[in-house]
Coordinates of all heavy atoms in Angstrom, one line a residue:
A1 N 107.9 86.6 96.6 CA 106.6 87.1 96.2 C 106.4 87.2 94.7 O 105.2 87.3 94.3 CB 106.3 88.5 96.9
G2 N 107.4 87.3 94.0 CA 107.3 87.4 92.5 C 106.6 88.7 92.2 O 107.0 89.8 92.7
F3 N 105.7 88.7 91.2 CA 105.0 89.9 90.8 C 104.1 90.5 91.8 O 103.5 91.5 91.6 CB 104.3 89.6 89.4 CG 105.2 89.5 88.3 CD1 105.5 88.2 87.8 CD2 105.9 90.6 87.7 CE1 106.4 88.1 86.7 CE2 106.7 90.4 86.7 CZ 107.0 89.2 86.1
K4 N 103.8 89.7 92.9 CA 103.0 90.3 93.9 C 103.6 91.5 94.5 O 102.9 92.4 95.0 CB 102.7 89.2 95.0 CG 101.9 88.1 94.6 CD 101.7 87.1 95.8 CE 100.8 85.9 95.3 NZ 100.7 84.9 96.5
L5 N 105.0 91.6 94.5 CA 105.6 92.8 95.0 C 105.2 94.0 94.2 O 105.0 95.1 94.8 CB 107.2 92.6 94.9 CG 108.0 93.8 95.3 CD1 107.8 94.2 96.7 CD2 109.5 93.6 95.0
V6 N 105.1 93.9 92.9 CA 104.7 95.0 92.1 C 103.3 95.5 92.5 O 103.1 96.8 92.7 CB 104.7 94.7 90.6 CG1 104.3 95.8 89.7 CG2 106.1 94.2 90.2
T7 N 102.4 94.6 92.7 CA 101.0 95.0 93.1 C 101.0 95.6 94.5 O 100.2 96.5 94.8 CB 100.1 93.9 93.0 OG1 100.5 92.8 93.8 CG2 100.0 93.4 91.5
A8 N 101.9 95.1 95.3 CA 102.0 95.6 96.7 C 102.5 97.0 96.7 O 102.1 97.9 97.6 CB 102.8 94.7 97.6
M9 N 103.5 97.3 95.9 CA 104.1 98.6 95.9 C 103.4 99.7 95.0 O 103.5 100.9 95.3 CB 105.6 98.5 95.3 CG 106.5 97.7 96.2 SD 108.1 97.3 95.4 CE 108.7 99.0 95.1
A10 N 102.6 99.2 94.1 CA 101.9 100.1 93.2 C 100.6 100.6 93.8 O 99.9 99.9 94.6 CB 101.6 99.5 91.9
L11 N 100.2 101.8 93.5 CA 99.0 102.4 94.0 C 98.0 102.4 92.8 O 98.3 102.6 91.7 CB 99.2 103.9 94.4 CG 100.1 104.1 95.7 CD1 100.2 105.5 95.9 CD2 99.5 103.4 96.9
E12 N 96.7 102.1 93.1 CA 95.7 101.9 92.1 C 95.3 103.3 91.5 O 95.2 104.3 92.3 CB 94.5 101.3 92.7 CG 93.4 101.0 91.7 CD 92.2 100.3 92.4 OE1 92.3 99.9 93.5 OE2 91.2 100.1 91.7
S13 N 95.2 103.4 90.2 CA 94.8 104.6 89.6 C 93.3 104.9 90.0 O 92.5 104.0 90.0 CB 94.9 104.5 88.1 OG 96.2 104.3 87.7
M14 N 93.1 106.2 90.2 CA 91.7 106.6 90.7 C 91.0 107.3 89.5 O 91.6 107.8 88.6 CB 91.9 107.7 91.8 CG 92.6 107.2 93.0 SD 92.7 108.6 94.2 CE 93.8 107.8 95.4
P15 N 89.7 107.3 89.5 CA 88.9 108.1 88.6 C 89.3 109.5 88.8 O 89.6 110.0 89.9 CB 87.4 107.8 89.0 CG 87.5 106.5 89.7 CD 88.8 106.5 90.4
W16 N 89.1 110.3 87.7 CA 89.6 111.7 87.8 C 88.9 112.5 88.9 O 89.5 113.3 89.6 CB 89.4 112.4 86.4 CG 90.4 112.1 85.4 CD1 90.4 111.3 84.3 CD2 91.8 112.6 85.5 NE1 91.6 111.3 83.7 CE2 92.5 112.1 84.4 CE3 92.5 113.5 86.4 CZ2 93.8 112.4 84.1 CZ3 93.8 113.8 86.1 CH2 94.4 113.3 85.0
R17 N 87.6 112.3 89.1 CA 86.9 113.1 90.1 C 87.4 112.8 91.5 O 87.7 113.7 92.3 CB 85.4 112.7 90.0 CG 84.5 113.5 91.1 CD 83.1 113.2 90.9 NE 82.6 113.7 89.6 CZ 81.3 113.6 89.2 NH1 80.4 113.0 89.9 NH2 81.0 114.0 88.0
R18 N 87.6 111.5 91.8 CA 88.1 111.1 93.1 C 89.6 111.6 93.2 O 90.1 112.0 94.3 CB 88.0 109.6 93.3 CG 88.7 109.2 94.6 CD 88.3 107.8 95.0 NE 89.1 107.3 96.2 CZ 88.9 107.8 97.4 NH1 87.9 108.7 97.7 NH2 89.6 107.3 98.4
F19 N 90.4 111.4 92.1 CA 91.8 111.8 92.1 C 91.9 113.3 92.5 O 92.7 113.7 93.3 CB 92.4 111.6 90.8 CG 93.8 112.2 90.6 CD1 94.9 111.6 91.3 CD2 94.0 113.3 89.8 CE1 96.1 112.2 91.1 CE2 95.2 113.8 89.7 CZ 96.3 113.3 90.3
R20 N 91.1 114.2 91.9 CA 91.2 115.6 92.2 C 90.9 115.9 93.7 O 91.5 116.7 94.3 CB 90.2 116.4 91.3 CG 90.6 116.4 89.8 CD 89.9 117.5 89.1 NE 88.5 117.2 89.1 CZ 87.8 116.6 88.1 NH1 88.5 116.1 87.1 NH2 86.5 116.4 88.2
F21 N 89.9 115.2 94.2 CA 89.5 115.4 95.6 C 90.6 114.9 96.5 O 91.0 115.6 97.5 CB 88.2 114.6 95.9 CG 87.7 114.6 97.3 CD1 87.1 115.8 97.8 CD2 87.9 113.5 98.1 CE1 86.7 115.8 99.1 CE2 87.5 113.6 99.5 CZ 86.9 114.7 100.0
V22 N 91.1 113.7 96.3 CA 92.2 113.2 97.2 C 93.5 114.0 97.1 O 94.2 114.2 98.1 CB 92.4 111.7 96.9 CG1 93.6 111.1 97.8 CG2 91.2 110.9 97.1
L23 N 93.8 114.4 95.9 CA 95.0 115.3 95.7 C 94.8 116.6 96.4 O 95.8 117.0 97.1 CB 95.2 115.5 94.2 CG 96.4 116.4 93.8 CD1 97.7 115.7 94.2 CD2 96.3 116.7 92.3
A24 N 93.7 117.2 96.4 CA 93.5 118.4 97.1 C 93.6 118.2 98.6 O 94.2 119.0 99.3 CB 92.1 119.0 96.8

């Protein structure tokens, strides 16, 4: 898979407002 593995394992950064909501 090459570097596709990195994208498969990584989670996308969220905007702060959504991040706070999902974290809660």
Side-chain angles (χ1 to χ4, degrees):
F3 287 104
K4 292 181 180 179
L5 173 64
V6 178
T7 58
M9 294 170 60
L11 297 175
E12 184 178 355
S13 296
M14 303 178 185
W16 278 107
R17 179 176 297 180
R18 173 165 174 75
F19 170 73
R20 290 195 298 268
F21 175 77
V22 177
L23 179 64

